[in-house]
Amino acid sequence: MAKEITGSIETIAAAAEPTVPSARAEVFYTQALRELAKLDLPFLLAGTYALSAYTGVVRATKDLDIVCKPTDYPRVLNHFRNLGHTVAIEDERWLGKVFQDEHFFDVIFAFWHGMAPVTDQWFESAPRIEVFGTPMRIIAPTELIWSKAFVQLRHRYDGPDIAHLILKQHDQIDWRRLLAYMELHWEVLLAHLLNFRWAYPSERDCLPRWLMDELVARLKTQFELPPPRVKICRGRLFSQVDYAPAVEEWGFADADQDSE
């Protein structure tokens, strides 16, 4: 992946681009990105476009994933509504949408139903890229992994995406920042790292030794402690549907449910 530094922002050349569903969709995406650039507010391109740019993985995409701060998403939706597009707030905790007929793009201002809001920190190391002729900033590998870590549903699992990001971008990942993001969920991070080690055994050195030592030490310490007294199913953070029986039938509390 070619790189250059423009001012304090790194510019990269995409390793690949996803396949758009149609020529009409490409026109819509192109116009949407140009309009976003006019708004003079920070936004990042994420999703399949970011994954393709960093890894070279080519796959079909049905939309664009635009990431912005929670305070900015109303401006984005209002701008496109004034242009005549249909807009929707799918979930006020994290997601809006902009439509043109059957095509759309997502406006994401938090992940996992509001658990991880987009902050100024997300923009600190985000490089610049050109998509459909428009220069813009793309979500950094660290935050891209953070955004995908909890996507573990029966019909969708982003573990391979994370493994490929580690393989191709391990030198660009801010591992200490990633650990800070996942401090409370360090076991999820460890699971992804073990998945990478298993998938790419010859590339284990891509993972910092200090990070593996830290996480394994936490695991060993945890072994010495008794199990939690409150029966909680944190699997609901992965999937509300797949782990529903735990809460509805087996007596576990939801992760965000108050314990008595």
Side-chain angles (χ1 to χ4, degrees):
M1 180 182 296
K3 304 178 182 179
E4 63 177 300
I5 303 296
T6 305
S8 59
I9 301 176
E10 182 182 64
T11 299
I12 64 173
E17 293 183 359
T19 304
V20 296
S22 67
R24 288 185 62 193
E26 183 171 338
V27 170
F28 170 56
Y29 297 160
T30 301
Q31 293 173 342
L33 291 173
R34 289 175 181 171
E35 288 297 328
L36 284 164
K38 294 177 184 178
L39 283 177
D40 193 29
L41 57 81
F43 74 91
L44 302 170
L45 182 65
T48 304
Y49 279 87
L51 181 72
S52 295
Y54 287 128
T55 67
V57 172
V58 178
R59 65 173 63 144
T61 184
K62 64 182 186 304
D63 63 357
L64 292 175
D65 286 346
I66 301 300
V67 173
C68 67
K69 294 188 293 184
T71 52
D72 291 331
Y73 92 87
R75 287 182 57 194
V76 174
L77 295 186
N78 278 326
H79 179 75
F80 282 91
R81 185 184 62 176
N82 292 337
L83 291 174
H85 295 282
T86 300
V87 303
I89 301 175
E90 292 288 315
D91 189 326
E92 199 166 38
R93 295 171 295 178
W94 70 285
L95 177 65
K97 288 180 180 288
V98 175
F99 297 89
Q100 183 182 74
D101 299 325
E102 73 273 22
H103 305 302
F104 66 94
F105 67 87
D106 287 338
V107 181
I108 303 169
F109 47 93
F111 288 86
W112 320 325
H113 306 285
M115 277 182 50
V118 177
T119 66
D120 288 331
Q121 192 176 35
W122 289 54
F123 297 86
E124 291 177 359
S125 57
R128 183 181 286 115
I129 195 171
E130 185 173 299
V131 178
F132 300 134
T134 301
M136 69 194 66
R137 299 184 71 183
I138 187 172
I139 188 172
T142 307
E143 281 71 28
L144 186 54
I145 291 174
W146 174 224
S147 73
K148 287 177 169 288
F150 280 74
V151 182
Q152 300 190 35
L153 297 88
R154 182 173 53 212
H155 62 281
R156 181 184 171 189
Y157 171 56
D158 279 2
D161 289 352
I162 291 176
H164 297 147
L165 283 164
I166 293 172
L167 179 67
K168 296 295 186 178
Q169 296 294 320
H170 56 92
D171 289 338
Q172 303 302 316
I173 296 169
D174 187 332
W175 293 103
R176 295 190 184 278
R177 178 179 288 190
L178 183 60
L179 179 59
Y181 283 139
M182 303 194 70
E183 184 67 40
L184 186 61
H185 311 292
W186 60 268
E187 290 162 294
V188 177
L189 177 58
L190 177 58
H192 281 297
L193 300 187
L194 291 175
N195 181 67
F196 172 80
R197 284 171 56 89
W198 186 89
Y200 293 107
S202 63
E203 311 304 315
R204 291 170 181 165
D205 287 347
C206 290
L207 302 176
R209 177 61 183 268
W210 68 264
L211 180 58
M212 295 302 300
D213 287 344
E214 168 66 23
L215 296 177
V216 171
R218 294 185 186 190
L219 189 63
K220 289 180 178 178
T221 301
Q222 191 184 71
F223 283 148
E224 303 303 318
L225 298 173
R229 295 176 62 184
V230 178
K231 291 170 64 67
I232 293 177
C233 178
R234 289 187 298 190
R236 299 270 283 182
L237 299 179
F238 294 141
S239 171
Q240 292 283 312
V241 173
D242 296 330
Y243 290 89
V247 174
E248 297 172 1
E249 303 174 26
W250 301 334
F252 287 85
D254 213 338
D256 59 358
Q257 181 178 332
D258 290 337
S259 59
E260 297 181 357

